[in-house]
């Protein structure tokens, strides 16, 4: 019988920092080395540490020293012992942990480590995006479709042999670009050749590439207020000044541009088919006005069409790109919402005369997009599976939207007005006056295991703190039931009146 070896934990590669010339006791040196590894992320929560017997062999330290160091780690909350299993890095590391540089414990003044002004500005605006748990109303969840999952798995097997792969085309797989071009022409009225398309790692990389090529640090960009935070952060990192224009039920209000109160910007960043986060649709008169303004003032427009596939009533809204006669619009889309975020496949459509500039800059950002994912999606589109997948997904999302709206109207109509969207995978609610601090409501709900996103965190100049964003994609009825009950508890506590 073949013996089964226990798989080694990632911590098996760890080597402690021990200074033989130091006067500090060995247990303290080992403890600090382990503690610093935890603080720096080299040893992660839940990892199993080496047994004292194996560690003594690997590190050349006595088992007694190792046991003492482990005891200190456990006493300070950095590790836990599991009977019959071993010693593990704790799942909840104490807050405020930082590296200790002086093993003698005397303390050393920290070395100043600076970051860019742009990075500092982003840090002060709030926490960065992190993978979120599948809590009720969290945004960005995907509604799983078993039929599509089987198809993607079957297609993926065809492309698993990568032994002879090299770097791919800077712009991405030609078959995928051709399939996207055909899809956009039918579904969004976007007319483009495959050589105008750049495959990117989602929308975010497409935006970064567009901002880098089109704008110079110090330029100004007009955005919607409130605005999709990662886009605004990307503009900041590229040294671009941001100007926010208010959003109403007809989308971004360009009146201040037309009356000359604001000088023409270098570019606009807009989400006209489903404004993020408010959910309004840019009206046709404003679309035409924005396009006319951009042509007359030599401005670029970056159109983020992130979830236009999900429209539940009426005909799809025409894209700005499809109405553009002057080649001022760059169009970006993604498969993150329609298929899987983990595929990391988006695309950017650029005017034909700008293709050489984008091809020149692209390798400095990313040599080429991943071939495997591109080939899987290309087959999925070429073989005609995408339209049926979208139909199934739309119906499922429509049902989720209606279910959530029903719970909200039944239980929370005294506290909030529900804005039922005709498109997208999120909906917004607005206070009826009983609460005026969306960040406080969000924090209180999160403590009870429910995610509602405060729109005020996305404000550019607006001071509105009366709106919340709720996601309904991938939402179960049990989660909708529990989540709305929690919101009732939070809002009826009365602590948010008057903000």
């Amino acid at each position: 019988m073949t013996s089964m070896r226990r798989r080694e934990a990632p911590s098996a590669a760890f080597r402690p920092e021990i200074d033989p010339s130091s006067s500090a006791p060995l247990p303290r040196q080992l403890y600090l080395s382990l503690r610093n590894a935890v603080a720096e992320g080299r040893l992660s929560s839940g990892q199993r540490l080496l047994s004292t017997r194996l560690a003594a062999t690997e590190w050349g330290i006595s088992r007694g020293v190792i046991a003492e160091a482990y005891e200190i780690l456990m006493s300070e909350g950095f590790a836990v012992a599991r009977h019959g299993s071993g010693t593990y890095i704790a799942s909840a590391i104490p807050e405020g942990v930082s590296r200790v540089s002086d093993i003698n414990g005397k303390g050393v003044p920290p070395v100043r480590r600076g970051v860019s002004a742009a990075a500092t500005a982003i840090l002060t605006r709030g926490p960065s995006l992190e993978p979120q748990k599948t809590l009720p109303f969290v945004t960005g969840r995907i509604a799983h479709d078993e039929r599509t999952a089987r198809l993607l798995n079957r297609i993926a097997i065809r492309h698993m042999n990568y032994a002879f792969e090299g770097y791919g085309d800077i712009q991405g797989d030609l078959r995928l670009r051709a399939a996207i071009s055909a899809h956009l022409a039918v579904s969004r009225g976007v007319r483009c050749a495959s050589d105008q398309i750049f495959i990117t790692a989602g929308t975010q990389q497409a935006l970064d590439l567009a901002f880098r090529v089109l704008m110079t640090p110090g330029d100004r960009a007009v955005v919607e207020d409130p605005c999709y935070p990662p886009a605004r952060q990307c503009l900041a990192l590229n040294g671009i000044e941001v100007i926010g224009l208010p959003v109403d039920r007809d989308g971004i209000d360009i009146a201040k541009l037309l009356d000359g109160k604001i000088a023409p910007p270098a570019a606009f960043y807009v989400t006209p088919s489903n404004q993020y986060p408010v959910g309004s649709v840019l009206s046709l008169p404003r679309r035409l006005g924005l396009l006319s303004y951009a042509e007359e003032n030599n401005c670029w427009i970056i159109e983020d069409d992130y979830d236009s596939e999900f429209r539940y009533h009426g005909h799809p809204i025409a894209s700005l790109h499809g109405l553009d006669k002057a080649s001022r619009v760059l169009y970006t889309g993604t498969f993150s919402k329609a298929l899987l975020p983990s595929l990391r496949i988006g695309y950017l459509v650029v005017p034909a005369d700008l293709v050489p500039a984008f091809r020149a800059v692209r390798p400095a950002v990313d040599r080429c997009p991943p071939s495997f994912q591109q080939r899987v999606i290309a087959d999925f589109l070429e073989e005609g599976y995408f339209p049926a997948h979208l139909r199934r997904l739309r119906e499922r999302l429509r049902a989720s939207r209606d279910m959530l709206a029903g719970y909200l109207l039944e239980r929370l109509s005294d506290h909030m007005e529900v804005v039922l969207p005709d498109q997208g995978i999120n909906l917004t609610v607005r206070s009826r006056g009983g609460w005026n601090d969306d960040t406080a409501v969000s924090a209180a709900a999160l403590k009870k295991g429910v995610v509602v996103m405060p729109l005020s965190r996305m404000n550019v100049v607006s001071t509105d703190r009366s709106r919340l964003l709720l996601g309904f994609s991938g939402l179960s009825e049990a989660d909708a039931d529990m989540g709305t009950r929690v919101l009732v508890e939070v809002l009826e506590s009365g602590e948010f009146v008057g903000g």
Side-chain angles (χ1 to χ4, degrees):
M1 180 183 294
T2 304
S3 62
M4 297 290 291
R5 289 189 60 192
R6 188 177 187 181
R7 276 192 284 177
E8 290 187 338
S11 59
F14 171 76
R15 292 293 180 272
E17 301 167 2
I18 301 297
D19 181 5
S21 64
S22 173
S23 60
L26 279 178
R28 177 171 174 77
Q29 290 195 53
L30 178 58
Y31 152 72
L32 287 176
S33 183
L34 289 164
R35 181 190 186 281
N36 288 337
V38 173
E40 295 165 358
R42 290 183 288 127
L43 290 177
S44 302
S45 298
Q47 282 187 358
R48 179 169 52 87
L49 294 171
L50 295 180
S51 68
T52 56
R53 184 185 300 278
L54 182 55
T57 302
E58 293 288 326
W59 301 342
I61 305 172
S62 74
R63 293 181 67 185
V65 168
I66 296 166
E68 187 174 345
Y70 282 7
E71 287 291 337
I72 301 173
L73 278 176
M74 288 187 284
S75 69
E76 296 196 359
F78 290 96
V80 293
R82 298 179 187 172
H83 181 70
S85 179
T87 304
Y88 292 77
I89 300 300
S91 57
I93 303 301
E95 294 184 2
V97 175
S98 59
R99 181 183 175 87
V100 177
S101 301
D102 182 9
I103 61 174
N104 294 305
K106 296 179 180 178
V108 178
V111 177
R112 183 175 180 179
R113 298 173 64 84
V115 297
S116 70
T120 300
I122 289 174
L123 283 169
T124 60
R125 288 193 188 113
S128 60
L129 288 176
E130 296 179 357
Q132 291 184 309
K133 299 177 181 178
T134 54
L135 300 175
F137 313 140
V138 69
T139 59
R141 289 173 65 177
I142 298 302
H144 180 74
D145 184 86
E146 187 60 38
R147 188 181 307 179
T148 295
R150 289 196 301 269
L151 288 169
L152 289 174
N153 285 331
R154 190 176 73 195
I155 293 170
I157 292 172
R158 304 173 190 169
H159 301 290
M160 288 303 294
N161 184 5
Y162 56 89
F164 300 103
E165 288 284 358
Y167 290 110
D169 189 286
I170 289 171
Q171 289 183 236
D173 183 85
L174 180 58
R175 285 196 313 118
L176 177 57
R177 287 187 278 135
I180 290 173
S181 175
H183 169 69
L184 292 178
V186 173
S187 66
R188 304 298 296 129
V190 173
R191 304 290 179 180
C192 65
S194 57
D195 61 6
Q196 291 176 251
I197 297 176
F198 285 75
I199 305 300
T200 61
T203 298
Q204 195 64 17
Q205 189 181 64
L207 296 179
D208 183 53
L209 185 60
F211 297 154
R212 287 176 187 268
V213 173
L214 300 179
M215 308 181 77
T216 300
D219 281 351
R220 299 194 301 169
V222 166
V223 303
E224 301 154 328
D225 183 13
C227 176
Y228 178 54
R232 188 178 173 192
Q233 292 169 350
C234 190
L235 285 164
L237 284 173
N238 283 285
I240 308 304
E241 180 186 350
V242 172
I243 301 169
L245 291 183
V247 170
D248 58 25
R249 63 188 303 169
D250 290 321
I252 187 171
D253 186 355
I254 59 173
K256 290 184 179 179
L257 292 171
L258 300 179
D259 63 16
K261 292 183 179 179
I262 298 176
F268 294 85
Y269 166 74
V270 290
T271 54
S273 296
N274 182 22
Q275 199 281 328
Y276 189 92
V278 172
S280 57
V281 175
L282 188 62
S283 65
L284 183 58
R286 288 189 185 179
R287 286 171 187 253
L288 297 176
L290 179 59
L291 289 169
S292 176
Y293 181 92
E295 181 179 1
E296 293 173 3
N297 293 279
N298 200 29
C299 308
W300 298 109
I301 300 173
I302 295 92
E303 177 181 12
D304 186 350
D305 208 19
Y306 63 98
D307 68 354
S308 61
E309 296 90 351
F310 309 125
R311 183 161 181 81
Y312 309 116
H313 299 287
H315 297 290
I317 305 298
S319 66
L320 274 178
H321 191 283
L323 299 172
D324 180 23
K325 307 300 182 185
S327 295
R328 306 307 306 178
V329 178
L330 288 84
Y331 178 95
T332 181
T334 179
F335 290 100
S336 292
K337 307 294 186 299
L339 284 175
L340 291 171
S342 56
L343 289 170
R344 303 308 305 135
I345 296 293
Y347 47 89
L348 176 68
V349 180
V350 308
D353 60 316
L354 294 184
V355 169
F358 276 85
R359 284 188 63 88
V361 172
R362 173 63 186 269
V365 177
D366 181 26
R367 175 63 182 82
C368 65
S371 298
F372 176 75
Q373 292 95 315
Q374 292 182 83
R375 291 177 180 176
V376 171
I377 297 179
D379 283 3
F380 191 79
L381 268 61
E382 281 187 341
E383 294 171 21
Y385 298 123
F386 198 41
H389 164 74
L390 289 178
R391 285 194 295 271
R392 293 193 302 272
L393 198 55
R394 269 195 295 269
E395 289 308 307
R396 185 170 302 174
L397 291 170
R398 186 207 306 267
S400 294
R401 179 203 64 172
D402 294 346
M403 174 187 65
L404 174 56
Y407 275 115
L408 291 170
L409 291 170
E410 176 187 347
R411 296 173 177 173
L412 288 146
S413 57
D414 290 341
H415 299 282
M416 56 182 61
E417 174 189 354
V418 180
V419 182
L420 191 67
D422 288 333
Q423 64 286 315
I425 58 177
N426 309 307
L427 61 78
T428 58
V429 296
R430 180 187 290 275
S431 171
R432 291 190 181 278
W435 53 274
N436 295 299
D437 188 345
D438 56 1
T439 57
V441 174
S442 173
L446 186 58
K447 288 180 181 179
K448 296 177 178 290
V450 172
V451 173
V452 287
M453 191 178 299
L455 264 66
S456 65
R457 289 183 180 171
M458 308 178 206
N459 289 346
V460 181
V461 293
S462 171
T463 58
D464 189 350
R465 300 173 67 86
S466 67
R467 294 178 291 182
L468 298 166
L469 183 70
L470 287 73
F472 56 78
S473 58
L475 181 68
S476 69
E477 185 161 7
D479 279 351
D481 180 27
M482 184 275 279
T484 50
R485 290 182 187 279
V486 166
L487 288 179
V488 170
E489 292 176 12
V490 168
L491 293 175
E492 290 188 350
S493 68
E495 58 187 291
F496 307 109
V497 176

